[in-house]
Amino acid sequence: MTFINYASREINCKIVYYGPGLGGKTTNLQYIYDTSAAQQKGKLISLATETERTLFFDFLPLELGTVRGFKARFHLYTVPGQVFYDASRKLILKGVDGVVFVADSQRERMDANLESLSNLEENLKSHGYDFSKIPYALQLNKRDLPDILSVEELKRELIRKDEPIIEAVAPKGVGVFETLKAVAKQVLTDLRKSAGAS
Amino acid sequence: MPEATMIMYEEEYQQIKTILSKLRTDANSKMVFLIDKNGQQIASHGDIGNLDTTSLASLTAGNVAATDALARLIGEKEFPVLSHEGERDNIHTSVVGGRVILVVIFDERSSLGLVRLRVKRASAELNEAFERIVNKAEQEKAGGAKRNTPFTEISDDDIDRLFSDDSL
Ligand SMILES: Nc1nc2c(ncn2[C@@H]2O[C@H](COP(=O)(O)OP(=O)(O)OP(=O)(O)O)[C@@H](O)[C@H]2O)c(=O)[nH]1
Ligand SMILES: [Mg+2]
């Protein structure tokens, strides 16, 4: 749910990084945090287990600049990818404005990608969202590893609509900002549409 | 899509600020915050100092969401109040009208009893304020009036410009 505050002249949008466990969701946020200017970002909050698996969520507030005199603030969240954390994943999706799916390109993780993607569709539906309409980008991560599927193979299985597809190596930052940009653009474009309609 | 955009105008914002300011004084508390259930801060009052209010909002919403889910798991509708006691400071968290979260931070100059009492009254007032916000939005919708927001004019250039600086 986009929150427009005329008093403080801010637009707040929520973007959620979804995907299978160990796919690189937290690494995306970590890279954005490490490389953005101090005045753009807030604290990166990670509710994680002792082995650095996301337990509830990571959260990073990021200010991208101003649009029409309003500060555009994006609240980036990751979900815990491990299958048994589904109840938490569902909570994080509430009020989402845009979703990034971080897929793991490794051959052995294809089933995990598919399971997580169908879990995303289900959980969006349970909140009343129409997956075909929500701002969405597909990131193909871990392109640097040896036993990975080709982009064509991954696309064949994972494309759901006309989403932008970005190849990434998250720890190196390859594709990280491109992905954020791809989804943020759609969120702002939606805002224009809904402003005209309400 | 489930929830449309929430829009806060100056007038309602001032009303809400007034309620929060009164609550802070009446409850002898240090700070009060109003947060939406998705973790975005709506308003605050008090001596915030260098407290990271954005993190506070996000963690509070996560906490409330997890507690709500726990409640449903055991067949309760909700646990309407969460209260945390520290050595010096305490946090009182409550959900107002099922919509927004009210957080009061207080120390030994106040007490849980007093905070609870004052929160109750402020909640009723806040609830009315939010009813007005919702009604206003619905009336406009029903009237088919197109509000002239600055966002109808967002251009592709505006969006591109957001991402044009060096870090992106
Ligand atoms: N080689 C390589 N390693 C990566 C890449 N992206 C992430 N990793 C590594 O994969 C591991 C897991 O990454 P995380 O970002 O914690 O994964 P996650 O998706 O947040 O996992 P959960 O929190 O369990 O859902 C870490 O050790 C990362 O350094 C990549 O593109 N290439
Ligand atoms: Mg993680």
Side-chain angles (χ1 to χ4, degrees), chain A residues 22 24-27 52-55 58 78-81:
Chain A
L22 295 177
K25 300 175 293 295
T26 299
T27 310
E52 298 199 353
R53 304 297 301 268
T54 302
L55 177 62
D58 302 299
T78 74
V79 299

PDB file of all heavy atoms in Angstrom, chain A residues 22 24-27 52-55 58 78-81, ligand 2:
ATOM      1  N   LEU A  22      18.614 -19.256   0.558  1.00  0.00           N
ATOM      2  CA  LEU A  22      20.007 -19.117   0.090  1.00  0.00           C
ATOM      3  C   LEU A  22      20.133 -18.596  -1.338  1.00  0.00           C
ATOM      4  O   LEU A  22      21.201 -18.660  -1.936  1.00  0.00           O
ATOM      5  CB  LEU A  22      20.772 -20.462   0.202  1.00  0.00           C
ATOM      6  CG  LEU A  22      20.978 -20.994   1.618  1.00  0.00           C
ATOM      7  CD1 LEU A  22      21.669 -22.350   1.573  1.00  0.00           C
ATOM      8  CD2 LEU A  22      21.790 -20.027   2.466  1.00  0.00           C
ATOM      9  N   GLY A  24      19.911 -15.476  -2.350  1.00  0.00           N
ATOM     10  CA  GLY A  24      20.636 -14.210  -2.439  1.00  0.00           C
ATOM     11  C   GLY A  24      19.803 -12.965  -2.166  1.00  0.00           C
ATOM     12  O   GLY A  24      20.215 -11.856  -2.484  1.00  0.00           O
ATOM     13  N   LYS A  25      18.651 -13.123  -1.529  1.00  0.00           N
ATOM     14  CA  LYS A  25      17.788 -11.972  -1.225  1.00  0.00           C
ATOM     15  C   LYS A  25      18.471 -11.007  -0.260  1.00  0.00           C
ATOM     16  O   LYS A  25      18.567  -9.808  -0.516  1.00  0.00           O
ATOM     17  CB  LYS A  25      16.456 -12.453  -0.611  1.00  0.00           C
ATOM     18  CG  LYS A  25      15.662 -13.377  -1.505  1.00  0.00           C
ATOM     19  CD  LYS A  25      14.427 -13.923  -0.815  1.00  0.00           C
ATOM     20  CE  LYS A  25      14.713 -14.870   0.335  1.00  0.00           C
ATOM     21  NZ  LYS A  25      15.379 -16.120  -0.079  1.00  0.00           N
ATOM     22  N   THR A  26      18.958 -11.546   0.852  1.00  0.00           N
ATOM     23  CA  THR A  26      19.640 -10.702   1.841  1.00  0.00           C
ATOM     24  C   THR A  26      20.871 -10.050   1.228  1.00  0.00           C
ATOM     25  O   THR A  26      21.164  -8.875   1.484  1.00  0.00           O
ATOM     26  CB  THR A  26      20.024 -11.548   3.070  1.00  0.00           C
ATOM     27  OG1 THR A  26      18.821 -12.077   3.651  1.00  0.00           O
ATOM     28  CG2 THR A  26      20.761 -10.711   4.112  1.00  0.00           C
ATOM     29  N   THR A  27      21.578 -10.791   0.370  1.00  0.00           N
ATOM     30  CA  THR A  27      22.779 -10.253  -0.268  1.00  0.00           C
ATOM     31  C   THR A  27      22.443  -9.035  -1.139  1.00  0.00           C
ATOM     32  O   THR A  27      23.203  -8.070  -1.184  1.00  0.00           O
ATOM     33  CB  THR A  27      23.462 -11.345  -1.112  1.00  0.00           C
ATOM     34  OG1 THR A  27      23.606 -12.522  -0.299  1.00  0.00           O
ATOM     35  CG2 THR A  27      24.826 -10.911  -1.584  1.00  0.00           C
ATOM     36  N   GLU A  52      22.949 -16.843  10.042  1.00  0.00           N
ATOM     37  CA  GLU A  52      22.686 -15.814   9.043  1.00  0.00           C
ATOM     38  C   GLU A  52      21.615 -16.173   8.034  1.00  0.00           C
ATOM     39  O   GLU A  52      21.596 -15.649   6.922  1.00  0.00           O
ATOM     40  CB  GLU A  52      23.981 -15.395   8.333  1.00  0.00           C
ATOM     41  CG  GLU A  52      24.951 -14.790   9.324  1.00  0.00           C
ATOM     42  CD  GLU A  52      26.026 -13.942   8.667  1.00  0.00           C
ATOM     43  OE1 GLU A  52      26.097 -13.920   7.430  1.00  0.00           O
ATOM     44  OE2 GLU A  52      26.766 -13.296   9.427  1.00  0.00           O
ATOM     45  N   ARG A  53      20.726 -17.065   8.406  1.00  0.00           N
ATOM     46  CA  ARG A  53      19.546 -17.294   7.570  1.00  0.00           C
ATOM     47  C   ARG A  53      18.481 -16.326   8.063  1.00  0.00           C
ATOM     48  O   ARG A  53      18.315 -16.136   9.268  1.00  0.00           O
ATOM     49  CB  ARG A  53      19.033 -18.733   7.744  1.00  0.00           C
ATOM     50  CG  ARG A  53      20.070 -19.797   7.449  1.00  0.00           C
ATOM     51  CD  ARG A  53      20.536 -19.759   6.011  1.00  0.00           C
ATOM     52  NE  ARG A  53      19.445 -19.948   5.060  1.00  0.00           N
ATOM     53  CZ  ARG A  53      19.085 -21.137   4.584  1.00  0.00           C
ATOM     54  NH1 ARG A  53      19.715 -22.233   4.944  1.00  0.00           N
ATOM     55  NH2 ARG A  53      18.088 -21.247   3.717  1.00  0.00           N
ATOM     56  N   THR A  54      17.737 -15.742   7.118  1.00  0.00           N
ATOM     57  CA  THR A  54      16.703 -14.800   7.527  1.00  0.00           C
ATOM     58  C   THR A  54      15.623 -15.532   8.318  1.00  0.00           C
ATOM     59  O   THR A  54      15.143 -16.581   7.904  1.00  0.00           O
ATOM     60  CB  THR A  54      16.102 -14.097   6.293  1.00  0.00           C
ATOM     61  OG1 THR A  54      17.158 -13.450   5.605  1.00  0.00           O
ATOM     62  CG2 THR A  54      15.056 -13.071   6.708  1.00  0.00           C
ATOM     63  N   LEU A  55      15.288 -14.969   9.482  1.00  0.00           N
ATOM     64  CA  LEU A  55      14.346 -15.612  10.394  1.00  0.00           C
ATOM     65  C   LEU A  55      12.967 -14.992  10.241  1.00  0.00           C
ATOM     66  O   LEU A  55      11.945 -15.682  10.241  1.00  0.00           O
ATOM     67  CB  LEU A  55      14.860 -15.422  11.826  1.00  0.00           C
ATOM     68  CG  LEU A  55      14.031 -15.935  12.974  1.00  0.00           C
ATOM     69  CD1 LEU A  55      13.876 -17.435  12.891  1.00  0.00           C
ATOM     70  CD2 LEU A  55      14.700 -15.559  14.291  1.00  0.00           C
ATOM     71  N   ASP A  58      14.537  -8.930   6.565  1.00  0.00           N
ATOM     72  CA  ASP A  58      15.515  -7.846   6.540  1.00  0.00           C
ATOM     73  C   ASP A  58      14.745  -6.619   6.099  1.00  0.00           C
ATOM     74  O   ASP A  58      13.783  -6.719   5.333  1.00  0.00           O
ATOM     75  CB  ASP A  58      16.624  -8.075   5.497  1.00  0.00           C
ATOM     76  CG  ASP A  58      17.380  -9.355   5.697  1.00  0.00           C
ATOM     77  OD1 ASP A  58      18.005  -9.522   6.744  1.00  0.00           O
ATOM     78  OD2 ASP A  58      17.340 -10.201   4.769  1.00  0.00           O
ATOM     79  N   THR A  78      13.135  -8.348   2.784  1.00  0.00           N
ATOM     80  CA  THR A  78      13.293  -9.701   2.258  1.00  0.00           C
ATOM     81  C   THR A  78      12.444 -10.625   3.125  1.00  0.00           C
ATOM     82  O   THR A  78      12.193 -10.332   4.293  1.00  0.00           O
ATOM     83  CB  THR A  78      14.742 -10.230   2.332  1.00  0.00           C
ATOM     84  OG1 THR A  78      15.055 -10.555   3.702  1.00  0.00           O
ATOM     85  CG2 THR A  78      15.733  -9.206   1.820  1.00  0.00           C
ATOM     86  N   VAL A  79      12.027 -11.742   2.542  1.00  0.00           N
ATOM     87  CA  VAL A  79      11.323 -12.753   3.329  1.00  0.00           C
ATOM     88  C   VAL A  79      12.322 -13.863   3.669  1.00  0.00           C
ATOM     89  O   VAL A  79      13.369 -13.968   3.032  1.00  0.00           O
ATOM     90  CB  VAL A  79      10.146 -13.367   2.549  1.00  0.00           C
ATOM     91  CG1 VAL A  79       9.123 -12.305   2.198  1.00  0.00           C
ATOM     92  CG2 VAL A  79      10.626 -14.083   1.299  1.00  0.00           C
ATOM     93  N   PRO A  80      12.002 -14.699   4.665  1.00  0.00           N
ATOM     94  CA  PRO A  80      12.828 -15.888   4.883  1.00  0.00           C
ATOM     95  C   PRO A  80      12.471 -16.926   3.825  1.00  0.00           C
ATOM     96  O   PRO A  80      11.308 -17.253   3.651  1.00  0.00           O
ATOM     97  CB  PRO A  80      12.423 -16.360   6.282  1.00  0.00           C
ATOM     98  CG  PRO A  80      11.093 -15.747   6.560  1.00  0.00           C
ATOM     99  CD  PRO A  80      10.901 -14.592   5.624  1.00  0.00           C
ATOM    100  N   GLY A  81      13.469 -17.436   3.119  1.00  0.00           N
ATOM    101  CA  GLY A  81      13.193 -18.336   2.008  1.00  0.00           C
ATOM    102  C   GLY A  81      12.920 -19.774   2.401  1.00  0.00           C
ATOM    103  O   GLY A  81      12.287 -20.522   1.657  1.00  0.00           O
TER     104      GLY A  81
HETATM  105 MG    MG C   2      17.955 -13.886   3.802  1.00  0.00          MG
END
